[in-house]
Amino acid sequence: MIEPKADAALAELPGYLLRRAASVMMAEFASRLAPLNLRISELTVLFVAGTGVNLTSSDIGQAADIKRANMPKLIDQLEQQGLIRREPLDGRRIAIIVTDKGAACLSEARKVIDEFEADLLETIPAKHRAHLVPALDALRNYRSN
């Protein structure tokens, strides 16, 4: 159990609070995705793949900020589940295409996402909700000098 004095000290650190909040939210989201047999990283790839035409694994990785070394395993897992397929674009580039099964899975995942996001926003005081996404986006774009 954290001592009250230590808890109060940590509660004054925005970076600590952000890390803890992200950890709690990711765990909750992962548990809600479990019935769909999807991990968050797999859903992220599937979600991004479903937003465009002729996206390569490199395009998807860049958009989702997934390391290049992690993409082959994620693509393989989604392909084995029948959620995506690979389709040659030219001599060396391969598009990642969401299958019909993948589109159905995305539709179900979207319901989970919408419910999760609504529940998440309910935890924020109403007067701060409009500021949450812009504040998080500003932090996402943070770059130290």
Side-chain angles (χ1 to χ4, degrees), residues 59-134:
D59 297 331
I60 295 166
Q62 284 181 329
D65 196 27
I66 297 172
K67 292 180 182 174
R68 176 176 237 149
N70 295 334
M71 287 301 294
K73 183 177 180 184
L74 287 168
I75 297 295
D76 288 346
Q77 289 167 334
L78 291 168
E79 189 173 40
Q80 288 170 7
Q81 293 176 59
L83 303 177
I84 62 162
R85 72 176 191 281
R86 301 172 207 228
E87 191 172 286
L89 287 174
D90 55 37
R92 55 178 208 148
R93 295 182 336 127
I94 298 174
I96 305 302
I97 309 296
V98 176
T99 64
D100 290 343
K101 181 179 178 183
C105 184
L106 267 176
S107 178
E108 289 302 309
R110 189 68 215 193
K111 294 173 191 172
V112 173
I113 292 167
D114 291 345
E115 183 178 311
F116 173 75
E117 298 287 330
D119 291 347
L120 186 150
L121 287 174
E122 282 293 316
T123 67
I124 307 296
K127 67 182 182 179
H128 297 300
R129 289 180 193 154
H131 306 289
L132 179 63
V133 171

Side-chain angles (χ1 to χ4, degrees), residues 1 14 17-18 21 24 38 43 54 73 77 79 83 89 97 118 139 141-142 144:
M1 181 81 160
L17 291 173
L18 184 61
V24 169
L38 278 179
L43 173 59
N54 296 336
K73 183 177 180 184
Q77 289 167 334
E79 189 173 40
L83 303 177
L89 287 174
I97 309 296
L139 291 172
N141 292 309
Y142 172 79
S144 63

Side-chain angles (χ1 to χ4, degrees), residues 1-59:
M1 181 81 160
I2 268 187
E3 292 294 320
K5 188 175 181 180
D7 190 44
L10 290 171
E12 293 178 4
L13 302 172
Y16 172 79
L17 291 173
L18 184 61
R19 184 184 67 78
R20 292 289 299 145
S23 179
V24 169
M25 292 297 103
M26 295 300 279
E28 175 63 21
F29 187 48
S31 73
R32 292 185 188 201
L33 280 179
L36 299 178
N37 293 317
L38 278 179
R39 293 180 304 136
I40 293 171
S41 56
E42 293 169 338
L43 173 59
T44 302
V45 170
L46 189 61
F47 191 87
V48 173
T51 65
V53 178
N54 296 336
L55 294 176
T56 66
S57 63
S58 179
D59 297 331

